[in-house]
Structures are given as structure tokens and as C-alpha cells.
Amino acid sequence: MSVLSATLQNQISDNLLQDGLLSKTSLDQIQIDSKNKHIPLLSLLVSEGHISSEDLTKYTARANKLPYVNLSSAVIDPTILELLPKDIAEHYMAIPLGEIDEHLVVAMLDADNIQAIDFLSKRIGRSLRVYAASEEGIRQVMKQYKVKLDASVTNEVNEELGELDQPPNGNNANAPQTVKPASKNIKTIVQDSPISKALSTILEYAATNRASDVHIEPYADSLVIRCRIDGILKEIMKLPKSLEPPLISRIKILSNLKIDEHRIPQDGEFTIIVAKREIDLRIAIAPVIWGEQVVIRLLDKTGTSLKLEDMGYSGRSLRVIRHGIAQTNGMVLTSGPTGSGKSTTLYALLQELKNETVNIVTLEDPVEYKMDGINQIQVNPDVGLTFATGLRSILRQDPNIIMVGEIRDHETAELAVQAALTGHLVFSTLHTNSAAGILPRLLDMNIEPFLIASTVRTVIGQRLVRTLGEKTQTYQSSPVETAAINATIGHLLPPTEADIQRVSEDLGFPNLPVRNENAYTLTKGAGKINASQGYKGRMGIYEAFEVSPKIQDLILKRATSAQIQAVAQEEGMVLMREDGYLKALSGRTTIDEINRVASADAE
């Protein structure tokens, strides 16, 4: 909204009083605070929670004699949204809503801006009827814009491709080099060239749909674009083979890589901004038989919660982990395959422990989340900074807590153990199929059994599963599903109604059903069946246990992971598959998804 005059502010205040949103006593005190703090009256009303920003927009519109619309729950027809391109809508904070008579109804944040209204009217080619709306409401509708990745984009890029000066050998080094790579804003990339427009469209689609990776894969006669969304790869676009050289050259330029190097792998990075979110991109380029493959990892810090509960930790696992990190020394280790959220778990642990009384130092490859209050070191083997050499350096920096991104070899493992022995709390990850597999893996790295037994405090195994979206429906489990539930978690479920509260609190899942031989109520995605199958987002399934005296004895005897796991279960560990089935019963995911991810080799 434009700056309000004192008269308008008084009028808004009077209307708030008349409608009972404020008392005279409260308003008088706020007016005094406004003068003392040199903060505008209306801003203070919102910041102190006396009225909402939606209320402020409504009453400001009334004072300006403008019609008002609340968009907080509005759903707009996609064909209407297409009348105003998303970049223009974001710039002017304006949203087309529908038609009244021969006018197009548009909601605007600055609904009395005559110049903006005139421009939009000419841009759309229609006369407008303008309503005032809040920023929150407009941004809610902005999310309904869909990034189009279809033949229209391919055709548009292909038509303009003739403008690019490609040398006969297909190495389009000249044209992309004229593009300045300094920009961080995806909108700037769009304006540069058809190739840049194709790249920005792909990246915007990936960011908007929460993709973790983008794969650009050359084949004999085409260039295929795939995105990994919620852990599943999905083809989103197929481009002509002729676009491969300029598109990959563009990525190399933005990543500060050598555009004339096609024989060896290259790694780089750059940053884009989508919907005011800064997203770091990690680039990996490798030569394949049909050209060069590019894999882009998207690191969107704004979309990840670093609270253990939000990540799926609950009940026994959560209690075990919090007890483990409360120690002042020892090792807390997490395991799982690539992309199972191990690093995010470590960051969440650091987030819980971070305060001004401890010195936390990390050694990572790469640094995925930049966190205030933590000293983070990026591994750089090219200059001799490996996990092992970096860990030696860290021990001279007076740390309380050390995070090593991954234990890959004997030297790093030995240094991590020595750090734990000398009074440090050490966090790290290993690649194993289960939590119990961590301990034999350290034995394989030639770490002495007595050192493992005396330093490792807590071990965690994890996987990521897709969670159900907003549209769901319940159903009764089939005989096969019922049998699988009883075989997997029947021993954990409450045997009687009287046990429900006790067992639910112990396991961290409210209102667990009583063990049933007939059927259980399960949840699945509803609505249109598409590539996502009703899933949206991911969470972890976990198993965690403390290294007890019994398990220490097993380590000293060089026991197998199966023997260690059996004792951990006797002492109360909930397995990953069991944790997943409990989450399926609570309506957060499905049995099929748990069976897909928590395969038998994970146990």
C-alpha cells in the first residue's frame, strides 16, 4: 500500500473502534507507543498482533474507497492466470481473478496506483476492475501458477535456435560466451537468450516442484531432462539434440567451468533466485557416449526444517538420540544410502546443541547448509585438505563438538575415534544398510574393538519415504496388508483398549489401534492419479539404539550386525520398517511406500 496520510490513519483507527477490533484504551496506549518508538501507528497495530495484515488491507481499502477481496483461500482458474505472465504479476503484485461484464477483475497490493493499472490494462488488452488485496493473499495465489514444460517451450527455443551461431562441429562456444554469468537472478537468465530461457524454465520447474536433482542426459537423437522429485526420477522434457552443446555450455559458464573441456568430469556451482528464495546449485558434468551428462543438485535451505520432530523422529528413537547428544564426549553415527537425509540429521543435531557456550566445528564435502554460530570447513582435496588432514587441524581449534561429513577410510575413522577419546562429541555418517551395520563397518576399517566399544554412544539408521499430500482418503486394509502389519508391528501395538495411551506415548504415535486380525484403517492419496501418486514431500523412517554393556561385549567379540541388531531389539529398538508401518497407521504415508524403501536388506 502507498504511504497513508494522518487523516486516513485516523479514519482507519475510527473504523477499527466502531467494528470492535480495538478498544479505546488499547488505541490510546498504542498511539503513545507509536510516538515514543517512532513507529507508524498501523504498523504497530499489526506487529503487536492487535489486527492482522489482512484486516489492515481491508480497512485501508475501505478508507481509500476501494473494493477489497480476501484471497487467503482463493483458487483461480489456470486459464485466467495465463492472462498475466507470472513475472509481471510478481513485479506489480497483481493477480487476475475472473470476469465481470466486459471487465477483467484484478487484485492488487497497490490498488490505487494509476500508472500500474494503466500498464496492466494495455498489457492484457482489457479494461480492468481493480480490487485491493493483501500481500499474503496475492502470494498464496502466486503459488497456483504452473511452470509449463511442454512442446510450446521446446518449439519456441527451437525456432530461435537459428539465431545462434553454432560452429559445424556442434561446440557452440561463441554465442554462450557473450552471456554474462554474474547474475544470480533467474529472471535475468530468462532475458539473455533462447538457451538461457530453456535453462531457467527447467530450473524454475525443478525449484517450484521441490526437486532435489535435475538430470540433463544426451542420447543419440535427443536431450532428455529428468527431475528427481521426492526421491523418484521423472522425465519432464525432451529437447532436440541440437540444443545440447549450447545448453551445456551455458551451464558451464554459469558454473565457471571450462567450456572447451569435454573429456573429463567437472564440478561447479552457482546460485539462482526463485520466488525470492535463494537456491544453491551444485553442478556435476561427466562425459558419456552421446555427449556430456549434467546432474544439478538443488539445495533449497528454506524448504527444510531442522527440527527432529518435523523430520519424523518420535518416541523411542527420539529419546535415544537426545540422550546420546546430551553426552560431552563420544560418537553419534548415522547410516544410510546416498540421499537418505544423513547430513540433514547431523545438522538438526547441531541445531539442538548450538549455543554460545560451545565451539562447534564441521568438516564437510560439500557444505550443504550454512549455519550461523558454527565454524564450517569445506573439504578441498586439490590443495590437500581432506577429511583426515582437516580433522587434525580441527583438533587444534579447541572444539567441543565436531561434525565430520563422512567417515570414508581408516585414517579418518581413527582420528574421529581419537577425538572422541580426548573429550569431544563427534558426529559423522557411514554408508551401511542398517544402524547395527555401523559397528562391524568400523571393524572393517581396522579400528580396534575396544576403541569402538568405548567411544560410540549412539547409532542411527535411516531412509526417506514419501509422505501423503493434502488430499487423502481412508480405507480398510486388505488381508495381505493386515497380515503384513501384524507380522511387522503386531508385537508393538496395544493388546487392549486400556493399553492404547501407554503404548502410544512410548512409541510416539497418538491413538494407535489395538492389534486386529481383521483390518486396519489406512490412508492413501486421493484426487487425480499422476506421477506423484498423491505424495508430497518426504520424511524419515529411523532406527536408533545406544551402545549398551551387552552390545559392547558383542563388539569386543567382533559380532555380526545381525547379532548386534537382535540385542538392540531386545533392548527396545524399533526397526526402520516397524517405524514406517507405525507412520503408515498414523496416516502419514502408505504401506506400499514403506515396502518400497525399507527393503529386507535394510534390516
Side-chain angles (χ1 to χ4, degrees):
M1 292 286 177
S2 54
V3 177
L4 300 178
S5 66
T7 303
L8 277 176
Q9 291 193 56
N10 291 335
Q11 187 176 340
I12 293 170
S13 301
D14 291 343
N15 289 335
L16 290 169
L17 285 174
Q18 290 174 10
D19 291 354
L21 271 71
L22 279 178
S23 66
K24 184 68 169 65
T25 304
S26 298
L27 180 58
D28 290 342
Q29 183 58 52
I30 295 166
Q31 287 173 331
I32 294 171
D33 292 342
S34 174
K35 291 179 182 178
N36 293 338
K37 296 178 181 179
H38 304 288
I39 298 175
L41 173 65
L42 299 179
S43 298
L44 203 59
L45 285 172
V46 174
S47 65
E48 293 188 352
H50 299 285
I51 61 171
S52 67
S53 57
E54 196 69 48
D55 288 331
L56 177 58
T57 303
K58 176 181 177 181
Y59 281 88
T60 303
R62 184 197 295 184
N64 282 309
K65 295 183 171 55
L66 293 170
Y68 157 81
V69 60
N70 186 335
L71 300 178
S72 57
S73 59
V75 178
I76 309 302
D77 187 335
T79 58
I80 297 295
L81 290 178
E82 287 177 6
L83 295 173
L84 193 61
K86 185 179 180 182
D87 56 341
I88 295 177
E90 285 183 330
H91 181 76
Y92 287 96
M93 290 303 290
I95 290 291
L97 302 180
E99 296 176 300
I100 296 180
D101 300 328
E102 296 180 358
H103 299 279
L104 180 67
V105 178
V106 174
M108 292 182 66
L109 180 63
D110 199 3
D112 56 355
N113 187 332
I114 303 300
Q115 290 181 327
I117 294 171
D118 184 54
F119 170 82
L120 292 174
S121 178
K122 291 177 180 177
R123 178 67 175 78
I124 299 172
R126 302 275 298 276
S127 57
L128 305 183
R129 181 171 294 181
V130 180
Y131 283 68
S134 68
E135 181 177 354
E136 291 82 356
I138 291 174
R139 292 203 180 280
Q140 188 277 134
V141 175
M142 289 279 188
K143 296 176 183 176
Q144 298 171 34
Y145 272 96
K146 301 296 181 185
V147 179
K148 288 191 170 184
L149 284 176
D150 53 24
S152 63
V153 176
T154 304
N155 292 338
E156 183 178 351
V157 175
N158 213 16
E159 287 172 7
E160 299 187 37
L161 189 60
E163 300 175 9
L164 299 175
D165 184 19
Q166 296 189 63
N169 63 6
N171 293 327
N172 186 17
N174 295 328
Q177 284 183 20
T178 64
V179 179
K180 296 180 180 179
S183 172
K184 279 186 162 186
N185 194 320
I186 195 169
K187 294 177 186 174
T188 304
I189 297 175
V190 170
Q191 298 167 359
D192 289 336
S193 70
I195 293 302
S196 298
K197 181 173 183 178
L199 177 59
S200 66
T201 305
I202 293 165
L203 295 178
E204 186 179 358
Y205 176 91
T208 304
N209 287 275
R210 313 173 324 281
S212 61
D213 301 88
V214 175
H215 291 234
I216 301 175
E217 301 169 335
Y219 291 96
D221 55 1
S222 64
L223 188 66
V224 173
I225 314 297
R226 297 196 291 170
C227 284
R228 188 178 295 279
I229 300 172
D230 294 336
I232 305 296
L233 273 173
K234 170 191 173 187
E235 183 178 317
I236 61 166
M237 196 176 193
K238 185 174 285 188
L239 295 171
K241 180 70 173 176
S242 57
L243 286 186
E244 179 196 338
L247 182 61
I248 292 177
S249 291
R250 175 62 180 167
I251 293 170
K252 288 180 177 179
I253 287 172
L254 290 169
S255 310
N256 291 320
L257 301 177
K258 297 177 181 178
I259 64 171
D260 58 347
E261 179 57 77
H262 309 287
R263 301 164 300 172
I264 61 174
Q266 297 189 77
D267 295 329
E269 60 183 48
F270 64 97
T271 301
I272 60 172
I273 296 176
V274 178
K276 296 188 177 181
R277 301 191 337 261
E278 193 171 285
I279 301 175
D280 293 333
L281 306 180
R282 301 291 162 81
I283 314 300
I285 301 177
V288 294
I289 58 172
W290 297 116
E292 289 180 281
Q293 180 191 26
V294 181
V295 177
I296 303 173
R297 169 64 57 89
L298 288 84
L299 300 174
D300 183 1
K301 298 175 282 292
T302 61
T304 303
S305 170
L306 293 179
K307 287 188 175 181
L308 292 171
E309 290 88 349
D310 293 342
M311 293 163 58
Y313 283 102
S314 60
R316 296 179 188 174
S317 296
L318 185 60
R319 291 195 295 274
V320 164
I321 291 166
R322 288 210 161 116
H323 184 262
I325 66 176
Q327 311 302 310
T328 56
N329 60 72
M331 298 177 70
V332 177
L333 302 174
T334 180
S335 70
T338 301
S340 60
K342 300 186 299 296
S343 296
T344 306
T345 290
L346 295 187
Y347 283 116
L349 300 182
L350 295 180
Q351 185 74 29
E352 290 224 345
L353 296 174
K354 184 181 70 172
N355 62 65
E356 62 181 15
T357 68
V358 294
N359 178 24
I360 302 175
V361 185
T362 74
L363 190 62
E364 307 171 60
D365 184 22
V367 175
E368 294 189 17
Y369 298 95
K370 298 175 179 67
M371 298 177 68
D372 293 335
I374 294 177
N375 302 297
Q376 297 172 275
I377 300 173
Q378 167 77 53
V379 167
N380 186 356
D382 293 339
V383 297
L385 180 54
T386 64
F387 279 114
T389 57
L391 192 46
R392 285 194 185 92
S393 172
I394 286 175
L395 292 174
R396 296 191 290 271
Q397 295 177 22
D398 186 32
N400 299 100
I401 300 167
I402 299 170
M403 183 188 106
V404 182
E406 183 181 348
I407 294 177
R408 298 176 179 173
D409 51 41
H410 166 73
E411 189 177 12
T412 306
E414 189 173 44
L415 287 166
V417 167
Q418 291 300 323
L421 281 173
T422 53
H424 304 91
L425 185 59
V426 179
F427 298 149
S428 193
T429 70
L430 287 91
H431 286 282
T432 63
N433 285 330
S434 65
I438 287 179
L439 304 174
R441 179 78 180 103
L442 290 174
L443 289 171
D444 292 341
M445 290 182 177
N446 295 320
I447 303 300
E448 291 295 333
F450 73 91
L451 291 176
I452 300 172
S454 59
T455 57
V456 179
R457 297 279 184 266
T458 307
V459 293
I460 307 164
Q462 64 184 80
R463 295 283 194 281
L464 290 178
V465 297
R466 293 178 292 173
T467 53
L468 290 168
E470 296 173 0
K471 294 183 178 180
T472 61
Q473 63 185 54
T474 57
Y475 70 100
Q476 295 301 299
S477 60
S478 67
V480 173
E481 288 173 325
T482 303
I485 292 169
N486 285 333
T488 305
I489 58 172
H491 63 288
L492 295 174
L493 294 176
T496 67
E497 296 279 350
D499 298 304
I500 289 178
Q501 183 175 351
R502 174 184 58 81
V503 174
S504 296
E505 288 178 357
D506 176 43
L507 296 174
F509 294 92
N511 302 317
L512 284 173
V514 173
R515 179 185 167 95
N516 192 329
E517 297 298 330
N518 298 318
Y520 294 94
T521 300
L522 297 176
T523 309
K524 62 182 179 180
K528 295 181 180 178
I529 300 298
N530 52 28
S532 70
Q533 298 175 326
Y535 297 104
K536 182 179 181 181
R538 289 191 291 176
M539 67 176 173
I541 54 174
Y542 305 96
E543 58 189 25
F545 65 87
E546 292 179 329
V547 178
S548 65
K550 281 188 178 181
I551 293 175
Q552 286 177 334
D553 290 340
L554 289 176
I555 296 170
L556 294 173
K557 295 175 183 176
R558 295 181 178 269
T560 65
S561 59
Q563 292 171 315
I564 293 172
Q565 180 169 295
V567 172
Q569 285 184 265
E570 288 174 9
E571 295 178 346
M573 180 180 75
V574 175
L575 294 176
M576 273 186 281
R577 182 186 287 272
E578 294 170 346
D579 185 41
Y581 271 52
L582 289 168
K583 283 168 178 167
L585 278 182
S586 66
R588 301 174 69 183
T589 186
T590 65
I591 295 292
D592 287 343
E593 178 67 4
I594 301 304
N595 290 337
R596 179 183 72 85
V597 174
S599 56
D601 66 353
E603 299 183 0

